[in-house]
Amino acid sequence: MVAFALLPFLLAAVSPLSSDAAPLSGLTSMAKFKGVPVFPPVNLGLMCEIPMFQNACARVAAKTSVGKQVYTPIGTAQGVADGSGANRFAVKYATHTRWAASTVATKWALPTGAKNASGLPLACPQPSVDPSTYTEDCLSMMLYVPTSLKANSGVPTLLWIHGGSFIAGSATAPGLDGSKLAVATNSIVAVMQYRLGALGFMAPDGTTNLAVKDSIAAMNFLAKVVPSFGGSSSKITLAGQSSGAGMIRALLAAPSASSLFQSAILQSDPIDYGFLNVSTQNALQSSFNTLTGCAASDKACQSSLSVDAILSAQVTLGDNAPSIDASTGSAEPIRPVRDGSLINTPLDLTAPFPPVSKPILLTNVKNEAGPTIFGAFTGILAPSVFGPVCAASLGDARTETIQASPFYPTSNIADTRVPLETLGTDWIWRCPTWSLARSWSGNGGRVFVGMFVTGATYPVNNAIAFCLQPGSVCHQDDIEIVFGTVPNPTPAQAQLTTEMQARYKAFLTTGSPNAAGLSSWTAATTTDVHAHQLGGTPSPSGEIPAGACDPSFWGSAVQYDYQVFGI
């Protein structure tokens, strides 16, 4: 079997932003007034970087926030204003050595490559981008803080985890400026980076889920510093899109991470893939070690590898993954592993679902598979092609059931890409999301499900004609709506941005996306997920019909990949 969806990569977009921030000045010299020594005003920021003063500074941090300079328990944070009512702070949240677990930062430091507070972090190493845009020392984040916030205000923090199939992306990818979202939600918005690809998931000694542990380090860092900016360490909500949402699902399945966040928002999570199992990870790991030429125990060899050599081996591994173990697929062959230590449940239909309590919000876009299908097939496809394409991806048995169903008709269809796109959206994204919602609701958690029928074309989708058509909402087209970063938004886009930010503000504070003046969003149950329509002309019920996502079809009559492969 081959995978159906090849998710577009979020390429790092690192561009300097202007700032009027000045570097910290040193202590001025002592003067005298009428013969008596006079000490000038002390630069508290510099003092707070001296270990003997850090405890005192921590107490001051609870009361003090001066403009773009914030005194935290680990040193002075210097930010820049961007004119939107928020200050931006770039910081290293953790350090690490190659293929070792990350350690939470104990000192406030600018990201690698940043010369001053206006500098942006370099991305984590990834294929097909200019090497000057990335560094291994990449565990950095951006904090966006409303200028009106005072220390210890107790507002929520939203930690955004970017997508990119676990091999690409950055905190500075298009649309991820969190300033407007922070102001609209009266929260701190943090956008983090984590180790990607082989550097985050293929430690030669078999250590698993390093990138997931990076996310845990980021939450521990935020708990330490957000009170100084006006946040509450107990009010952290995770949010992310695509593989970023998949990372959050891994954190929901990690008991040791549970106390670090209160709720989660998962946008366009390709849940169909599931977590890798240990045997699959071991097979991939063995192949990767062979490709690098370094034995599992040969630390010297591993340290001597160039980043280019590691990325080259990673690309080859990704290409070969389906032939090594078919359960990997080709879209996200490198991904979190249910290792039994950090991640101990699949959170799917293959095993008893654990008790849960956190509120979660799950969303999809109308045409998740649009970039995949219309990007791969650039010309019209005849109806006769549906069966072979479907069988090549899902196998004969599942294809037979799909063709016999009423959900993906090909008769009287001029272009078979249309039902193929609907099929891909249901199979990889929408229906497994709805299955997760039913399980979450049935085991103690509150869950809200939605679908974007209005979006804003994400830059990587501009080359795909289908994604530019009126009414199309392709994978990633929800990102700029949520962040409020749509260039020249239409009235419909602006209205949906206002709505989503109001709903996110409510969710961050109450665990529900219902807010005054907005239509009611009903929580999902085990029998009806009540998928709320986001944007467009509301249907009579305001909800999206189940269609093929009825539990008797996907997940039962037609199994998801994670069921087929038992992962």
Side-chain angles (χ1 to χ4, degrees), residues 5 57 120 126 160 206 215 230 269 278 291 321 360 372 375 400 412 432 446 465 475 501 519 532 539 566:
C57 288
L120 300 179
Q126 52 198 279
W160 180 268
S215 301
D269 183 1
V278 171
L291 289 166
I360 63 173
T372 301
E400 184 177 343
N412 300 318
R446 199 175 188 200
H475 190 69
Q501 293 182 341
S519 59
H532 196 79
S539 65

Side-chain angles (χ1 to χ4, degrees), residues 64-357:
T64 310
S65 177
V66 182
K68 301 166 194 173
Q69 194 174 76
V70 176
Y71 308 121
T72 81
I74 61 171
T76 302
Q78 193 169 9
V80 294
D82 60 8
S84 64
N87 291 324
R88 185 185 75 245
F89 300 84
V91 63
K92 284 186 184 180
Y93 67 83
T95 59
H96 69 92
T97 56
R98 182 179 288 179
W99 286 313
S102 50
T103 302
V104 179
T106 57
K107 179 181 179 181
W108 189 276
L110 294 174
T112 298
K115 304 300 183 184
N116 53 51
S118 66
L120 300 179
L122 295 173
C124 291
Q126 52 198 279
S128 305
V129 300
D130 185 341
S132 68
T133 65
Y134 61 65
T135 176
E136 277 196 76
D137 185 19
C138 63
L139 299 186
S140 302
M141 67 169 60
M142 306 292 294
L143 293 177
Y144 299 90
V145 184
T147 56
S148 60
L149 280 188
K150 304 298 181 184
N152 275 354
S153 297
V155 303
T157 295
L158 183 149
L159 174 58
W160 180 268
I161 305 178
H162 70 76
S165 299
F166 295 112
I167 61 171
S170 74
T172 54
L176 298 188
D177 184 325
S179 298
K180 292 180 180 179
L181 181 59
V183 172
T185 57
N186 192 40
S187 70
I188 296 168
V189 173
V191 184
M192 65 165 288
Q193 300 182 160
Y194 50 93
R195 281 174 283 182
L196 300 168
L199 289 166
F201 293 95
M202 288 291 154
D205 67 358
T207 301
T208 56
N209 295 314
L210 289 173
V212 183
K213 295 170 186 175
D214 292 343
S215 301
I216 292 174
M219 288 188 283
N220 277 306
F221 176 83
L222 286 172
K224 185 187 300 185
V225 303
V226 291
S228 302
F229 293 90
S232 167
S233 60
S234 63
K235 297 179 182 177
I236 295 175
T237 293
L238 302 181
Q241 187 269 347
S242 194
S243 60
M247 180 74 83
I248 295 170
R249 181 162 37 91
L251 293 166
L252 288 168
S256 61
S258 182
S259 64
L260 300 175
F261 64 105
Q262 66 172 4
S263 55
I265 301 171
L266 287 72
Q267 299 176 206
S268 299
D269 183 1
I271 297 174
D272 171 76
Y273 302 147
F275 303 131
L276 293 181
N277 61 31
V278 171
S279 63
T280 300
Q281 175 70 16
N282 288 343
L284 294 176
Q285 188 67 68
S286 177
S287 177
F288 178 74
N289 290 358
T290 299
L291 289 166
T292 62
C294 294
S297 60
D298 193 342
K299 300 295 185 182
C301 177
Q302 296 158 19
S303 297
S304 68
L305 289 169
S306 67
V307 172
D308 185 66
I310 293 170
L311 292 177
S312 178
Q314 172 189 310
V315 171
T316 301
L317 177 67
D319 291 342
N320 295 341
S323 62
I324 296 170
D325 189 320
S327 69
T328 65
S330 61
E332 285 184 358
I334 299 174
R335 60 184 188 267
V337 184
R338 181 162 57 95
D339 54 9
S341 54
L342 180 66
I343 301 173
N344 63 7
T345 174
L347 283 187
D348 60 28
L349 301 176
T350 62
F353 208 87
V356 293
S357 59

